[in-house]
Amino acid sequence: PDFYSGFPILMDIPWLPNGFIKYNFVNLPQIVLNCKFRITDEGLVRDLLDLLFPWIQKQTGKPLRVSCDGFCFDGWLVGHTLALSKKHEDDKDFLMIYCGVGMHPSFKIEIIHGRKQQDLAMAIGDKPILLFPASNDDLKPQQHEAIRILAEARGVPQEEVAIEFPHMIHGWVNRG
């Protein structure tokens, strides 16, 4: 989803501390309201699983083996898609999502919905997920509880769950 559709260009505010999310403060309340009430994990993930994937399967005529990826906020959706898939792993009729990747991911939207980032990590469990945080993202190995939880669930080092790109800033993949 494009949170900024119709909004003025986000301003680069040089006096904010390094790593601070540089939102145009005029638009921030609308963005938060969109996240809280219009963009929910249940709604978006169910749309993917109930509408998009069956359509793709109908077009190909083959069973789907699906992975997912996402940028920023969509890293959060990747997490919720994996968590829902984990919850239904014994249901043979449920479309299984096998793994996910998040580029400059953010799970912070969990806070807007009254939950913790660590709760999402626990729900993902041992589902394979690989995150590529930038220098100013918070989901970095050895620095975030959610990464520790994901690594322990899979029995791997934290660096196999999150690989930091220390010379990049949030949004680096989209900007090329």
Side-chain angles (χ1 to χ4, degrees), residues 82-124:
L82 290 171
L84 188 62
S85 188
K86 174 80 177 158
K87 184 177 174 182
H88 291 276
E89 61 188 2
D90 294 331
D91 181 354
K92 64 181 173 67
D93 295 324
F94 188 83
L95 175 64
M96 196 54 58
I97 310 300
Y98 291 92
C99 61
V101 176
M103 283 67 71
H104 50 85
S106 179
F107 288 179
K108 288 182 181 180
I109 197 168
E110 283 293 285
I111 298 164
I112 293 172
H113 292 282
R115 301 180 299 242
K116 296 179 181 176
Q117 298 176 69
Q118 294 87 333
D119 297 337
L120 177 55
M122 286 187 275
I124 294 168

Side-chain angles (χ1 to χ4, degrees), residues 1-3 30 32-40 43-44 113:
D2 184 358
F3 291 131
Q30 183 62 44
V32 170
L33 287 173
N34 282 345
C35 291
K36 177 71 176 169
F37 299 109
R38 287 184 47 215
I39 300 164
T40 63
L44 289 169
H113 292 282

